[in-house]
Amino acid sequence: MEEIKRSLAVVIGINEYSNGIPALKTAVNDAQKIAATLASIYEYQVLLLLDSDANSDKFTNLLTALETHTLPSSDNSQIQIQETDRVLFYFAGHGIASDALDSTDGSTGFLVPQDAHMNNDSSMLSMKRLHDALIKLPCRHILIILDCCFAGAFRWAGNRDAVLQNKVYRERYDRFISSCAQQVITSAGDDEKAADSLYRFGQRNEDSGNSPFAELLLNALSGKADFSTDGVITATEIYVYIHGELGKTSAKQTPGFCQLKHHDKGEYIFPVPGFDPNKLAPAPALDENTNPYRGLKSYEEKDSSLFFGRKALIEKLEAFIINQPLTVVLGASGSGKSSLVKAGLIT
């Protein structure tokens, strides 16, 4: 399977709305910084639409282009999207839930262009239509990032507990790039508003000019989401980083992460500058000692990193033994009693 050859991005940011729609403070700055990061660090070709350039006509033209498997470029030419491309779509602006409008297209929500009319859904970008256009693109990898109110409604336009990826070995990297990836990161749930202004992060008080979500996204792309320092930042790692850090603030929004219809075993990735896949170590050989499946043997303390699926039970047992220092764990033979205690509770 060929490597990804080209990285394309559509980045939209709207502060100054017309027709009585309230202005935002940080969306344009967010979009500009995201676009600059993508272009300068990750060598993306970026179509940047800001304020009046992100109007209803531009949105319609963009959707029409996507539906014909093309992207308009900054010089007004058309880029034919290929299988070996990766495509990123980023939007910062107003979003609105469908129940706020008398929607006629079955959409679950809308992205609001700069010149939209709030009482007219035909002047807005339907999340359903955007979803349907993006999942049909022939490119191997797609990442959609929405920083707007009710962004989580996008996942329902089609029909997790995100697990932090371990170190990327060469075999995993090859699977990431060779299989289809269609992933979505949203700044808020389908019933939540996304904060436009800064919330305090730790001891930091000054205004960064970005929304809380965008600030964390920029941090993630700068390398803070490369948890295993292997030179590959995955969409999953970005989500896990944002979700964890946003939870430390007073922002009342819950980031979301989901896959679209055609997602397979791929992963949208951001190789950091200087990354060379040929230098990735091969996965450890599988033998009796490294096999994560213990068969009829119990998991020991040293196997705790391989012990999954009992989190709720471990927490229940921890809470129980606080008041009952002498606790007996009973169960049928082979039901996992020893593993629960040794690889779960003790560690």
Side-chain angles (χ1 to χ4, degrees):
M1 181 70 70
E2 289 186 272
E3 290 266 355
I4 299 293
K5 294 183 177 179
R6 187 170 56 175
S7 301
L8 309 171
V10 177
V11 178
I12 302 171
I14 309 172
N15 280 347
E16 299 300 327
Y17 280 89
S18 58
N19 302 316
I21 299 175
L24 295 173
K25 297 178 181 179
T26 63
V28 166
N29 192 42
D30 294 345
Q32 289 173 326
K33 287 190 175 181
I34 295 296
T37 298
L38 293 174
S40 63
I41 299 179
Y42 298 103
E43 299 182 345
Y44 274 70
Q45 294 176 234
V46 180
L47 172 64
L48 180 61
L49 301 177
L50 302 175
D51 280 341
S52 60
D53 279 339
N55 56 41
S56 297
D57 287 342
K58 287 288 182 70
F59 275 38
T60 299
N61 293 339
L62 175 61
L63 263 181
T64 300
L66 291 172
E67 289 168 344
T68 57
H69 300 170
T70 61
L71 269 180
S73 66
S74 55
D75 62 2
N76 294 320
S77 62
Q78 295 292 316
I79 300 173
Q80 191 70 38
I81 298 174
Q82 307 291 335
E83 194 274 338
T84 53
D85 291 334
R86 62 166 62 94
V87 174
L88 185 150
F89 181 93
Y90 174 89
F91 175 82
H94 278 302
I96 187 169
S98 60
D99 57 9
L101 300 168
D102 185 15
S103 175
T104 58
D105 76 342
S107 184
T108 55
F110 298 86
L111 305 182
V112 182
Q114 185 271 340
D115 59 347
H117 293 268
M118 292 302 286
N119 60 349
N120 182 4
D121 62 4
S122 65
S123 68
M124 302 182 192
L125 175 58
S126 161
M127 288 188 188
K128 182 179 186 302
R129 188 178 171 192
L130 176 62
H131 165 276
D132 292 348
L134 289 172
I135 66 169
K136 292 176 183 177
L137 292 180
C139 58
R140 198 181 309 160
H141 286 183
I142 300 171
L143 179 62
I144 302 147
I145 303 176
L146 304 179
D147 188 3
C148 61
C149 297
F150 312 106
F154 189 89
R155 70 176 298 175
W156 305 114
N159 230 27
R160 163 232 99 119
D161 205 6
V163 177
L164 189 62
Q165 296 290 346
N166 294 321
K167 180 179 179 180
V168 175
Y169 294 106
R170 181 58 195 252
E171 291 85 352
R172 176 176 283 169
Y173 173 80
D174 289 342
R175 173 168 59 83
F176 284 173
I177 65 167
S178 63
S179 299
C180 179
Q182 294 187 339
Q183 296 164 288
V184 183
I185 301 173
T186 59
S187 63
D190 59 355
D191 58 350
E192 295 177 329
K193 294 183 178 181
D196 178 43
S197 57
L198 180 75
Y199 284 78
R200 295 184 178 183
F201 292 83
Q203 299 299 314
R204 197 173 154 192
N205 296 322
E206 72 274 13
D207 191 340
S208 70
N210 299 114
S211 73
F213 176 86
E215 182 174 352
L216 292 173
L217 175 59
L218 288 163
N219 289 344
L221 292 173
S222 73
K224 290 187 177 181
D226 187 12
F227 295 110
S228 51
T229 62
D230 46 35
V232 179
I233 301 171
T234 68
T236 302
E237 287 178 316
I238 290 173
Y239 165 74
V240 169
Y241 172 78
I242 293 174
H243 187 277
E245 293 299 311
L246 200 59
K248 299 174 183 177
T249 76
S250 56
K252 296 179 180 179
Q253 62 193 80
T254 308
F257 183 68
C258 65
Q259 291 83 35
L260 300 183
K261 180 179 179 181
H262 300 301
H263 181 81
D264 192 13
K265 301 178 181 67
E267 180 84 26
Y268 200 99
I269 64 171
F270 295 86
V272 302
F275 169 75
D276 182 357
N278 294 316
K279 294 182 179 179
L280 287 173
L286 185 63
D287 57 29
E288 185 177 352
N289 293 323
T290 59
N291 189 343
Y293 302 102
R294 310 304 295 160
L296 294 178
K297 296 180 180 178
S298 65
Y299 287 82
E300 305 293 331
E301 289 182 58
K302 61 183 176 61
D303 303 317
S304 61
S305 62
L306 306 174
F307 188 65
F308 294 99
R310 294 291 184 269
K311 181 179 178 181
L313 188 55
I314 292 169
E315 291 175 350
K316 184 177 180 180
L317 183 56
E318 286 177 341
F320 185 83
I321 64 173
I322 291 175
N323 298 316
Q324 298 290 338
L326 178 59
T327 300
V328 179
V329 179
L330 301 175
S333 178
S335 61
K337 303 182 297 297
S338 298
S339 298
L340 173 66
V341 173
K342 289 188 278 189
L345 177 66
I346 294 177
T347 58

